[in-house]
Amino acid sequence: MTDYGAFATEPLFGLPLPELWFALVFAILGTFLFLDGFDFGAGVLFATREDDEERETILAAIGPFWDGNEVWLVVFGGALFAAFPAVYANLFSRNYLLLFGVLGALILRGLAPEMYEQRHDAAWQRWWGRSFVAGSVLAPFLLGVFTANWLTGSGALVTPVGVAVGLAVVALTVVSGTAFVRLKTTGDLRDGVRRYGGRALVAYLALVVVSLALLFVSTPRLAAAVATAPVLALVVLSVVLAAGYAAALRRDQDLLALAASGLLTYGLVAVVALLLFPVVDPGTDLLVSEAIVSTLPLNIMSVASAFLLPLVVTYFAVLYSAFSGPAQPTESY
């Protein structure tokens, strides 16, 4: 029998690996919500455009990125399963139908643009255009409902908190989608989507306040956590970032606006993590320290992640660099 010694019994370099993996899981979730979020937001903005060339430009803008961005959702599920298998099993089984809805929305969002470009028939493109918008709205909404259910330990399909969080996530995708579309387009399309970013920003901030109020009133376990200094500080920081986003849009600093929307996304995920910790699954009252896998596999995963994650980040840096610059309507989705 192989003797792994301290590697099997002691955390790597004495690090708090359970807490670090808890943070990593939510960092990966935040990365997905930001990267695929501006794809969703572009899909929502697609509904505001009537000109065929502008619609084709939006599709061309997200075409090189959306399927790669979705990989982060798979990485999130894999990391959750690897580090907290009991949480993965309980959380996903409680929300079985909801997650099937997310999967269906993602399939519709991916399939619709492909079908949209197969025929230049008004009725055909109208149907698949609406399907694209529906998938782009439903996917973030249902992910928001899933996140709210995770927070409250619920398995219900519809709750007031779930609806509020779902709408907040949709609004946030429009915020980031506006910045992304402006960054990747020129002319009337770039100017025409600006107002939607501002409106979505106001809606997002209002929905975050509503969500926190509902959590405070409806979930006694979270009432004290909502009023803690770190959560309130993140809310204040979100307001500051929102002001920076609005200023960047006014000054046509679209990359800065996109960065601000990314920080807003990570801030939202950080609020969820803070409200949960040290519990990782309120539905079963499992603590992070109780749900984490044993030391040996945890150390092995940590070493593997230290090598693999930088490679993944490098790949995405190359991808976005290769497809930088404005998209053209003649480019294929």
Side-chain angles (χ1 to χ4, degrees), residues 95-141:
N95 295 279
Y96 192 75
L97 292 177
L98 182 60
L99 288 170
F100 259 98
V102 173
L103 180 61
L106 290 173
I107 292 172
L108 187 62
R109 195 281 303 264
L111 176 65
E114 300 283 357
M115 301 301 293
Y116 180 88
E117 295 195 337
Q118 294 303 309
R119 288 168 52 184
H120 293 282
D121 173 82
W124 175 271
Q125 291 195 325
R126 182 167 57 251
W127 166 258
W128 287 110
R130 289 172 178 173
S131 299
F132 175 52
V133 174
S136 299
V137 172
L138 283 173
F141 175 77

Coordinates of all heavy atoms in Angstrom, one line a residue, residues 95-141:
N95 N -33.3 20.8 -6.9 CA -33.6 21.7 -8.0 C -33.6 21.0 -9.4 O -33.2 21.7 -10.4 CB -32.7 22.9 -8.0 CG -32.8 23.7 -6.7 OD1 -33.7 24.6 -6.6 ND2 -31.9 23.5 -5.7
Y96 N -34.0 19.8 -9.4 CA -33.8 19.0 -10.6 C -34.6 19.6 -11.8 O -34.0 19.8 -12.9 CB -34.4 17.6 -10.3 CG -34.1 16.5 -11.4 CD1 -32.8 16.0 -11.5 CD2 -35.1 16.1 -12.2 CE1 -32.6 15.0 -12.4 CE2 -34.8 15.1 -13.1 CZ -33.6 14.5 -13.2 OH -33.3 13.6 -14.1
L97 N -35.8 19.9 -11.7 CA -36.6 20.5 -12.8 C -36.1 21.9 -13.1 O -36.1 22.2 -14.3 CB -38.1 20.6 -12.4 CG -38.8 19.2 -12.3 CD1 -40.3 19.4 -11.8 CD2 -38.8 18.4 -13.6
L98 N -35.7 22.6 -12.2 CA -35.2 24.0 -12.4 C -33.9 23.9 -13.3 O -33.8 24.7 -14.2 CB -34.9 24.7 -11.1 CG -34.4 26.1 -11.2 CD1 -35.4 27.0 -11.8 CD2 -34.1 26.6 -9.7
L99 N -33.1 23.0 -13.0 CA -31.8 22.9 -13.7 C -32.1 22.3 -15.1 O -31.3 22.7 -16.1 CB -30.8 22.0 -13.0 CG -30.3 22.7 -11.7 CD1 -29.5 21.7 -10.9 CD2 -29.4 23.9 -12.1
F100 N -33.1 21.5 -15.3 CA -33.5 21.1 -16.6 C -33.9 22.3 -17.4 O -33.7 22.4 -18.6 CB -34.5 20.0 -16.6 CG -34.0 18.6 -16.8 CD1 -33.7 17.8 -15.7 CD2 -33.7 18.2 -18.1 CE1 -33.2 16.5 -15.9 CE2 -33.2 16.9 -18.3 CZ -32.9 16.1 -17.2
G101 N -34.6 23.2 -16.7 CA -35.1 24.4 -17.4 C -33.9 25.3 -17.8 O -33.9 25.9 -18.9
V102 N -32.8 25.4 -17.0 CA -31.6 26.1 -17.4 C -31.0 25.5 -18.6 O -30.6 26.2 -19.5 CB -30.6 26.1 -16.2 CG1 -29.3 26.7 -16.6 CG2 -31.2 26.9 -15.0
L103 N -30.9 24.1 -18.6 CA -30.3 23.4 -19.7 C -31.1 23.7 -21.0 O -30.5 23.9 -22.0 CB -30.3 21.9 -19.4 CG -29.7 21.0 -20.5 CD1 -28.2 21.4 -20.8 CD2 -29.8 19.5 -20.0
G104 N -32.4 23.6 -20.9 CA -33.3 23.9 -22.1 C -33.1 25.3 -22.6 O -33.0 25.5 -23.8
A105 N -33.0 26.2 -21.7 CA -32.8 27.6 -22.1 C -31.4 27.8 -22.8 O -31.3 28.5 -23.8 CB -32.9 28.6 -20.9
L106 N -30.4 27.2 -22.3 CA -29.1 27.3 -22.9 C -29.1 26.6 -24.3 O -28.4 27.1 -25.2 CB -28.0 26.6 -22.0 CG -27.7 27.3 -20.7 CD1 -26.8 26.5 -19.8 CD2 -27.1 28.7 -20.9
I107 N -29.7 25.5 -24.4 CA -29.8 24.8 -25.7 C -30.6 25.7 -26.7 O -30.1 25.9 -27.8 CB -30.6 23.5 -25.6 CG1 -29.7 22.5 -24.8 CG2 -30.9 22.9 -27.0 CD1 -30.4 21.2 -24.5
L108 N -31.7 26.3 -26.3 CA -32.4 27.2 -27.1 C -31.6 28.5 -27.5 O -31.6 28.9 -28.7 CB -33.7 27.7 -26.4 CG -34.7 28.5 -27.2 CD1 -35.2 27.7 -28.4 CD2 -35.9 29.0 -26.4
R109 N -30.8 29.0 -26.6 CA -30.0 30.2 -26.8 C -28.9 29.8 -27.8 O -28.6 30.6 -28.7 CB -29.4 30.7 -25.5 CG -28.8 32.1 -25.6 CD -27.4 32.1 -26.2 NE -26.5 31.2 -25.5 CZ -25.6 31.6 -24.6 NH1 -25.6 32.9 -24.2 NH2 -24.8 30.8 -24.0
G110 N -28.4 28.6 -27.8 CA -27.3 28.2 -28.7 C -27.8 27.8 -30.1 O -27.2 28.1 -31.1
L111 N -29.0 27.2 -30.1 CA -29.5 26.7 -31.4 C -30.2 27.8 -32.2 O -30.0 27.8 -33.4 CB -30.6 25.6 -31.1 CG -31.3 25.0 -32.2 CD1 -30.4 24.3 -33.2 CD2 -32.5 24.1 -31.8
A112 N -30.8 28.7 -31.5 CA -31.6 29.7 -32.3 C -30.8 30.5 -33.3 O -31.2 30.7 -34.4 CB -32.4 30.6 -31.3
P113 N -29.6 31.1 -32.9 CA -28.9 31.8 -33.9 C -28.4 31.0 -35.1 O -28.4 31.5 -36.2 CB -27.7 32.4 -33.1 CG -28.1 32.3 -31.7 CD -29.0 31.1 -31.6
E114 N -28.1 29.7 -34.8 CA -27.7 28.9 -35.9 C -28.9 28.7 -36.9 O -28.7 28.8 -38.1 CB -27.3 27.5 -35.4 CG -26.1 27.5 -34.4 CD -24.8 27.7 -35.2 OE1 -24.8 27.8 -36.4 OE2 -23.8 27.8 -34.5
M115 N -30.1 28.5 -36.4 CA -31.2 28.3 -37.3 C -31.6 29.7 -37.9 O -32.1 29.7 -39.0 CB -32.4 27.8 -36.4 CG -32.1 26.4 -35.8 SD -31.7 25.2 -37.0 CE -33.2 25.0 -37.8
Y116 N -31.4 30.7 -37.2 CA -31.8 32.1 -37.7 C -31.1 32.4 -39.0 O -31.7 33.0 -39.9 CB -31.4 33.1 -36.6 CG -31.7 34.6 -37.0 CD1 -32.9 35.1 -36.7 CD2 -30.7 35.4 -37.6 CE1 -33.2 36.5 -37.0 CE2 -31.0 36.7 -37.9 CZ -32.2 37.2 -37.6 OH -32.5 38.5 -37.9
E117 N -29.8 31.9 -39.1 CA -29.1 32.3 -40.3 C -29.2 31.3 -41.4 O -28.6 31.4 -42.5 CB -27.6 32.4 -39.9 CG -27.4 33.6 -38.9 CD -25.9 34.0 -38.8 OE1 -25.1 33.2 -39.1 OE2 -25.7 35.2 -38.5
Q118 N -30.0 30.2 -41.2 CA -30.1 29.2 -42.2 C -31.0 29.7 -43.4 O -30.8 29.2 -44.5 CB -30.7 27.9 -41.6 CG -29.8 27.2 -40.7 CD -28.4 26.9 -41.3 OE1 -28.3 26.3 -42.3 NE2 -27.3 27.3 -40.6
R119 N -32.0 30.5 -43.1 CA -32.9 30.9 -44.1 C -33.2 32.4 -44.0 O -33.4 32.9 -42.8 CB -34.3 30.2 -44.0 CG -34.2 28.7 -44.5 CD -35.4 28.0 -44.1 NE -36.7 28.6 -44.6 CZ -37.9 28.2 -44.3 NH1 -38.0 27.1 -43.6 NH2 -39.0 28.8 -44.7
H120 N -33.3 33.1 -45.1 CA -33.6 34.6 -45.0 C -35.1 34.7 -45.4 O -35.4 35.3 -46.4 CB -32.7 35.4 -46.0 CG -31.3 35.4 -45.5 ND1 -30.8 36.2 -44.5 CD2 -30.2 34.6 -46.0 CE1 -29.5 36.0 -44.4 NE2 -29.1 35.0 -45.2
D121 N -35.9 34.2 -44.5 CA -37.3 34.2 -44.6 C -37.8 35.0 -43.4 O -37.5 34.7 -42.3 CB -37.9 32.8 -44.7 CG -39.4 32.8 -44.6 OD1 -40.0 33.0 -45.7 OD2 -40.0 32.6 -43.5
A122 N -38.7 36.0 -43.6 CA -39.2 36.8 -42.5 C -39.8 36.0 -41.3 O -39.4 36.3 -40.2 CB -40.1 37.9 -43.0
A123 N -40.7 35.1 -41.7 CA -41.4 34.4 -40.6 C -40.4 33.5 -39.9 O -40.4 33.3 -38.7 CB -42.5 33.6 -41.2
W124 N -39.5 32.8 -40.6 CA -38.5 31.9 -40.1 C -37.6 32.7 -39.1 O -37.4 32.3 -38.0 CB -37.7 31.3 -41.2 CG -36.5 30.5 -40.8 CD1 -35.2 30.9 -40.5 CD2 -36.5 29.0 -40.5 NE1 -34.4 29.9 -40.2 CE2 -35.2 28.7 -40.2 CE3 -37.5 28.1 -40.6 CZ2 -34.8 27.4 -39.9 CZ3 -37.1 26.7 -40.3 CH2 -35.8 26.4 -40.0
Q125 N -37.1 33.8 -39.6 CA -36.1 34.6 -38.7 C -36.9 35.2 -37.5 O -36.3 35.4 -36.5 CB -35.4 35.7 -39.6 CG -34.4 35.1 -40.6 CD -33.5 36.1 -41.1 OE1 -33.9 37.2 -41.4 NE2 -32.3 35.7 -41.4
R126 N -38.1 35.6 -37.7 CA -38.9 36.1 -36.6 C -39.0 35.1 -35.5 O -38.8 35.4 -34.3 CB -40.2 36.6 -37.1 CG -41.1 37.3 -35.9 CD -42.3 38.0 -36.5 NE -43.1 37.2 -37.3 CZ -43.2 37.3 -38.6 NH1 -42.5 38.2 -39.3 NH2 -44.1 36.4 -39.3
W127 N -39.3 33.9 -35.9 CA -39.5 32.8 -34.9 C -38.2 32.5 -34.1 O -38.2 32.4 -32.9 CB -40.0 31.5 -35.6 CG -39.9 30.3 -34.8 CD1 -39.0 29.3 -34.9 CD2 -40.7 29.9 -33.6 NE1 -39.2 28.4 -33.9 CE2 -40.2 28.7 -33.1 CE3 -41.9 30.5 -33.0 CZ2 -40.8 28.1 -32.1 CZ3 -42.4 29.9 -31.9 CH2 -41.9 28.7 -31.5
W128 N -37.1 32.3 -34.9 CA -35.9 32.0 -34.3 C -35.2 33.2 -33.6 O -34.5 33.0 -32.6 CB -34.9 31.4 -35.3 CG -35.3 30.0 -35.7 CD1 -35.8 29.5 -36.9 CD2 -35.3 28.8 -34.8 NE1 -36.1 28.2 -36.8 CE2 -35.8 27.7 -35.6 CE3 -34.9 28.6 -33.5 CZ2 -35.9 26.5 -35.0 CZ3 -35.0 27.3 -33.0 CH2 -35.5 26.2 -33.7
G129 N -35.5 34.4 -34.0 CA -35.1 35.5 -33.3 C -35.7 35.6 -31.9 O -35.0 35.9 -30.9
R130 N -37.0 35.4 -31.9 CA -37.7 35.4 -30.6 C -37.2 34.2 -29.7 O -37.1 34.4 -28.5 CB -39.2 35.2 -30.8 CG -39.8 36.5 -31.4 CD -41.3 36.2 -31.8 NE -41.9 37.5 -32.4 CZ -43.1 37.5 -32.9 NH1 -43.9 36.4 -33.0 NH2 -43.6 38.6 -33.4
S131 N -36.9 33.1 -30.3 CA -36.4 32.0 -29.5 C -35.0 32.3 -28.9 O -34.7 32.0 -27.8 CB -36.2 30.7 -30.4 OG -37.5 30.3 -30.9
F132 N -34.2 33.0 -29.7 CA -32.9 33.5 -29.2 C -33.1 34.4 -28.0 O -32.4 34.3 -27.0 CB -32.1 34.2 -30.3 CG -30.8 34.8 -29.9 CD1 -29.9 34.0 -29.2 CD2 -30.5 36.1 -30.2 CE1 -28.6 34.6 -28.9 CE2 -29.3 36.7 -29.9 CZ -28.4 35.9 -29.2
V133 N -34.0 35.3 -28.1 CA -34.2 36.3 -27.0 C -34.8 35.5 -25.8 O -34.3 35.7 -24.6 CB -35.2 37.4 -27.4 CG1 -35.6 38.2 -26.3 CG2 -34.6 38.2 -28.5
A134 N -35.7 34.6 -26.0 CA -36.3 33.8 -24.9 C -35.2 33.0 -24.2 O -35.2 33.0 -22.9 CB -37.4 32.9 -25.4
G135 N -34.3 32.4 -24.9 CA -33.3 31.6 -24.2 C -32.3 32.5 -23.5 O -31.8 32.2 -22.4
S136 N -32.0 33.7 -24.0 CA -31.1 34.7 -23.4 C -31.7 35.3 -22.1 O -31.0 35.7 -21.3 CB -30.8 35.8 -24.4 OG -30.1 35.3 -25.5
V137 N -33.0 35.3 -22.0 CA -33.7 35.8 -20.8 C -33.9 34.7 -19.8 O -33.6 34.9 -18.6 CB -35.0 36.5 -21.2 CG1 -35.8 36.8 -19.9 CG2 -34.8 37.7 -22.0
L138 N -34.4 33.6 -20.3 CA -34.7 32.5 -19.4 C -33.5 31.9 -18.7 O -33.5 31.6 -17.5 CB -35.4 31.4 -20.1 CG -36.9 31.6 -20.4 CD1 -37.5 30.5 -21.3 CD2 -37.7 31.7 -19.1
A139 N -32.4 31.7 -19.4 CA -31.2 31.1 -18.8 C -30.7 31.9 -17.5 O -30.5 31.3 -16.5 CB -30.1 31.0 -19.8
P140 N -30.4 33.2 -17.6 CA -30.0 33.9 -16.4 C -31.1 34.0 -15.4 O -30.8 34.0 -14.2 CB -29.6 35.3 -17.0 CG -30.3 35.5 -18.2 CD -30.4 34.1 -18.8
F141 N -32.4 34.1 -15.8 CA -33.4 34.2 -14.8 C -33.5 32.9 -14.0 O -33.5 33.0 -12.7 CB -34.8 34.4 -15.5 CG -35.9 34.4 -14.6 CD1 -36.2 35.5 -13.7 CD2 -36.8 33.3 -14.5 CE1 -37.3 35.5 -12.8 CE2 -37.8 33.3 -13.6 CZ -38.1 34.4 -12.8

